[in-house]
Amino acid sequence: MLNTRISEIFFELLKSGLWGKPILKESLFPLSKEEWNHMYKISINQTVECVIYDAIQLLPSIFQPDKSLFIQWMVRVEKHAQRNEQMNINILRVVGKMKANGIDPMLLKGQGIANCYTNPLRRVCGDVDLCFRTPEVFEKADALMLANGLNVEKSAGFSSSYVFNGFEIEHHGRMFDLHNPFIQRYLRSVQEEEFRSNHYLEMNGRKVRVLSGMQMAIQANAHILKHLLSFGIGIRQLCDSARIYYHYFEQIDPAELKKAYKRLGISKWIDVLHVILVKYLGLSPDKLPSELDSSVHADWMMEEIMIAGNFGFYNSKYEEIEKEQGGRRVDSGKRIWNNIVQYIPYAPGEAIWFPIIQFYSRFKR
């Protein structure tokens, strides 16, 4: 799938939109109407339609898609911007309700990462992730939302979730999507330190607690690995990683971050991720926390990401039957097992412990 004309154009557009630079390979254009329709579908499957739209605006008018698709694309991008604005409002409502009851949550991923983009409203938003300092505060937050009439449901990964004004809100007791039990003491110390460090994001004139740049990079990259071990991840999350490195470059201590990756047992996988960020997303190698290892092979991982689409929902092998079954995952055990085997050489601790802890957390609260 990587060695096609469409995929080559897609990554050229992705690099252009992500960094606000004109397309370097204009010889790839123009595209036919069918090719543009295919590009539109790929960008939606990977939740990067806003990034690709930004790139289209940098193209000469003769290379842009026809007017009807362009307008359709523009309307979709504007709806994402409006949803981001509504999400910001509702985050402040939920956080405000919690602060009024003595709870000060930390916002993970989402709008904190969006702030790393040139236009934060152009990042396709998902759900809202809130982390709490201790298990006791986590339970207090759940109880508060229940008392306010919300249907709070426990989920795997020591988390819970509910819907607030049309937005899914998730509560987390753990800051990082890392499952190896032998690193949990270290992660708890990092979590405590982050809650003491007081980093905030300003939203509509109010402040919400967020991670430091270094821990945001670790958290985002760990989240990518977690989903690669299950059903897959979208390119949007890779864009997040690239933008975090770029945005926080001056604030991140490269030696400390490299040391943290090694201590967490994911440094070999991080080397693969870094190659992808440079080769396919156009991140400058000098923004990485360590020297790029050009001998690392990464095409296999990008191939899987392109096939599966956002969180694996667009894998052509399963897409139709999963739609028929209301979104229920097909061959889940086999797919997860194959991914675990594939990633053991790169992150053995996570590959081995991810399925065990996910299963255990369904019953242990």
Side-chain angles (χ1 to χ4, degrees), residues 148-163:
N148 278 269
L150 296 167
N151 183 27
V152 180
E153 296 182 345
K154 299 292 185 180
S155 56
F158 307 99
S159 302
S160 57
S161 65
Y162 52 91
V163 176

Side-chain angles (χ1 to χ4, degrees), residues 313 319-330:
F313 287 118
E319 185 176 1
E320 289 304 317
I321 190 170
E322 288 184 344
K323 283 182 180 178
E324 292 173 3
Q325 297 187 15
R328 188 175 65 84
R329 298 289 192 174
V330 176

Side-chain angles (χ1 to χ4, degrees), residues 91 105-109 111-112 128-130 208-211:
I91 287 172
M106 180 174 291
L107 180 66
L108 303 179
K109 299 176 291 187
Q111 303 308 80
V128 177
D129 295 272
L130 299 175
V208 177
R209 186 187 291 274
V210 293
L211 292 166

Side-chain angles (χ1 to χ4, degrees), residues 26 44 78 82 182 278 293 340:
E26 285 196 2
I44 292 172
E78 180 56 31
Q82 292 171 1
F182 299 105
V278 172
D293 187 347
I340 288 169

Side-chain angles (χ1 to χ4, degrees), residues 82-288:
Q82 292 171 1
R83 183 162 176 79
N84 269 299
E85 290 174 336
Q86 286 300 311
M87 175 175 273
N88 291 346
I89 291 170
N90 283 288
I91 287 172
L92 292 176
R93 286 175 179 168
V94 171
V95 172
K97 196 179 293 287
M98 290 182 178
K99 285 185 175 180
N101 287 271
I103 303 170
D104 189 11
M106 180 174 291
L107 180 66
L108 303 179
K109 299 176 291 187
Q111 303 308 80
I113 293 177
N115 191 56
C116 299
Y117 286 72
T118 303
N119 185 345
L121 297 180
R122 290 285 181 88
R123 179 187 180 272
V124 176
C125 63
D127 51 21
V128 177
D129 295 272
L130 299 175
C131 181
F132 301 90
R133 191 165 191 164
T134 66
E136 292 74 22
V137 179
F138 173 87
E139 293 297 337
K140 183 179 178 181
D142 276 7
L144 175 64
M145 294 300 109
L146 278 168
N148 278 269
L150 296 167
N151 183 27
V152 180
E153 296 182 345
K154 299 292 185 180
S155 56
F158 307 99
S159 302
S160 57
S161 65
Y162 52 91
V163 176
F164 181 87
N165 289 345
F167 291 90
E168 184 171 356
I169 314 289
E170 293 190 357
H171 289 182
H172 303 284
R174 297 183 177 184
M175 189 173 286
F176 302 95
D177 289 321
L178 292 166
H179 302 77
N180 184 345
F182 299 105
I183 61 173
Q184 295 307 315
R185 179 179 292 181
Y186 168 64
L187 291 178
R188 284 194 295 271
S189 68
V190 172
Q191 181 164 326
E192 178 60 30
E193 184 178 340
E194 282 297 294
F195 270 97
R196 288 198 305 265
S197 63
N198 296 324
H199 295 278
Y200 290 93
L201 171 68
E202 187 168 310
M203 298 173 63
N204 300 347
R206 294 163 64 186
K207 292 183 177 180
V208 177
R209 186 187 291 274
V210 293
L211 292 166
S212 63
M214 175 172 157
Q215 302 307 334
M216 191 176 290
I218 293 174
Q219 206 279 334
N221 291 341
H223 184 69
I224 292 171
L225 177 58
K226 168 194 168 182
H227 283 286
L228 287 174
L229 287 170
S230 53
F231 297 101
I233 199 82
I235 288 176
R236 178 192 65 180
Q237 283 72 27
L238 300 182
C239 292
D240 289 348
S241 179
R243 289 299 314 188
I244 290 169
Y245 278 144
Y246 181 85
H247 183 79
Y248 285 106
F249 176 72
E250 297 293 340
Q251 300 177 35
I252 292 176
D253 183 330
E256 285 300 312
L257 182 52
K258 187 176 179 181
K259 187 191 300 182
Y261 285 144
K262 187 173 183 179
R263 185 167 186 175
L264 295 170
I266 61 173
S267 56
K268 287 186 178 180
W269 177 77
I270 288 293
D271 287 341
V272 179
L273 176 65
H274 285 173
V275 171
I276 280 181
L277 298 184
V278 172
K279 181 176 180 179
Y280 291 101
L281 275 71
L283 176 67
S284 176
D286 62 10
K287 300 299 181 184
L288 294 172

